[in-house]
DNA sequence: CCACGCATGTAATCAGTTACATGATTGC
DNA sequence: GCAATCATGTAACTGATTACATGCGTGG
């Protein structure tokens, strides 16, 4: 249900093609929303069929950028003001942490160091994104909220991973 | 694929029934993993069929607690050491933030205050969970990692929501 | 004795992923 | 000319949710 809203949100911010969205879902937006191109393309067609978005002139290489319609913006507003957010999440880092007692402290440390590196890299990317925002634009002022949320969560993940590495190092040997 | 691992992780920590797991998925574990009971029950049967978990004596009211097998623990270890974690996530709070420019600053504020209250409440619950851990147990030392991750992320969400409320209050009127 | 929460399950549907297919443009 | 990347799509399958169904045990 919310893939629709993710697509509307992105296209409302600026016109985009399915390919653009696929790239973002696979990159900077990985912590917000993600979907495979094979799910994105048919959903865009459905949204266009309901007049929530509209195809702009087809570009080169068969590129099809969409823009939001008035009806699409109304749908976004109804979603934001009329429904409440679903907070359920699936976090594999947290899940794996609960199972770490089954492996050696050394192996647990390997996992945590990998997590630390991953989140540090993501944090760098997210900070770069923040610097690229133009806060005279309403869209970018809203995007700042989303990006700042990402930054604070990534900072939390980095500090957690640093703490966890120290913590696991103090576990008794052969405790698994 | 990872529902299996979530079930194995929980059952490895302590024997549990499908009902127990359903309750946890709907409560404290909402930020780690979640699934509806209708998905949990058949998956537990499949895991039992593969000897990764084993049914203990059936309890009252048809209750069926499962415990982990040696093969199940081996499967967990193989997962932790042989595969890397999937970091993709769907975060509706972040998604909605990107769309907030389409509604009035007052409505945006309503949304953010609701988020703040939700995350404060979850943070209280998570801290209580942390206090209940018995750190002489290897399972609980690992659980501490997961719980601490949850706490730090919730703290990040609370501080973000507080900041975002201030930020939105400074948006120009009628900017949507 | 009956309402409520415990406890497990099936069937139908919807969301999401994987495997496969195709063609256009750009840079070397 | 050809490899890499851009760009869109379909079909089959797996994961997840919704709607429905059933019975047990405890407390009032």
């Amino acid at each position: 249900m919310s893939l629709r809203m993710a697509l509307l949100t992105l296209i409302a911010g600026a016109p985009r093609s399915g390919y653009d969205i696929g790239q973002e879902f696979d990159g900077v937006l990985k912590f917000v929303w993600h979907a495979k191109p094979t799910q994105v393309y048919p959903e865009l067609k459905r949204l266009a069929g309901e007049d929530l978005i509209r195809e702009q002139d087809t570009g080169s290489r068969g590129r099809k950028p969409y823009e939001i319609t008035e009806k699409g913006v109304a749908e976004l507003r109804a979603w934001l003001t009329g429904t409440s957010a679903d907070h359920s999440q699936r976090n594999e880092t947290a899940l794996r942490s609960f199972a770490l007692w089954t492996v050696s402290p050394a192996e647990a440390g390997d996992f945590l160091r990998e997590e630390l590196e991953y989140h540090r890299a993501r944090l760098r990317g997210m900070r770069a994104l923040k610097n690229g925002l133009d806060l005279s634009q309403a869209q970018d002022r809203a995007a700042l909220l989303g990006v700042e949320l990402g930054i604070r969560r990534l900072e939390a993940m980095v500090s957690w991973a640093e703490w966890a590495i120290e913590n696991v190092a103090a576990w008794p040997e052969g405790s698994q």
Side-chain angles (χ1 to χ4, degrees), chain A:
Chain A
M1 191 57 198
S2 262
L3 173 63
R4 300 172 69 80
M5 295 309 159
L7 298 177
L8 285 180
T9 297
L10 292 176
I11 292 167
R16 282 166 161 93
S17 69
Y19 186 80
D20 293 338
I21 295 171
Q23 297 293 100
E24 291 171 297
F25 275 168
D26 196 43
V28 287
L29 256 50
K30 220 169 208 165
F31 85 101
V32 176
W33 209 265
H34 61 96
K36 298 285 152 76
T38 50
Q39 197 188 4
V40 170
Y41 290 119
E43 191 64 42
L44 286 173
K45 281 211 161 169
R46 250 171 266 139
L47 290 171
E50 294 172 43
D51 296 315
L52 298 169
I53 59 177
R54 163 193 326 123
E55 214 178 302
Q56 292 181 320
D57 352 314
T58 300
S60 62
R61 295 176 178 174
R63 180 182 167 80
K64 288 183 190 171
Y66 293 91
E67 59 189 8
I68 194 94
T69 63
E70 272 304 310
K71 202 178 158 191
V73 175
E75 187 84 359
L76 267 181
R77 287 204 184 107
W79 171 60
L80 288 170
T81 58
T83 66
S84 58
D86 176 10
H87 293 100
S88 60
Q89 291 188 33
R90 295 189 170 93
N91 182 332
E92 205 174 313
T93 305
L95 178 59
R96 283 177 182 240
S97 297
F98 280 92
L100 276 188
W101 66 275
T102 62
V103 300
S104 70
E107 286 167 326
D110 289 345
F111 164 70
L112 293 169
R113 274 183 292 275
E114 216 179 285
E115 287 296 311
L116 177 57
E117 261 329 295
Y118 175 84
H119 287 102
R120 274 184 179 155
R122 300 262 317 162
L123 181 54
R124 282 192 292 274
M126 199 65 70
R127 283 180 173 149
L129 198 66
K130 180 180 173 180
N131 288 330
L133 294 175
D134 169 13
L135 297 179
S136 68
Q137 298 277 109
Q139 287 96 325
D140 278 22
R141 283 196 292 274
L144 174 65
L145 301 182
V147 170
E148 184 67 28
L149 187 158
I151 288 173
R152 291 185 186 224
R153 278 164 53 114
L154 286 168
E155 285 170 345
M157 289 303 288
V158 167
S159 86
W160 167 80
E162 289 168 345
W163 167 86
I165 288 166
E166 294 295 306
N167 188 272
V168 165
W171 283 4
E173 272 306 315
S175 66
Q176 80 268 197

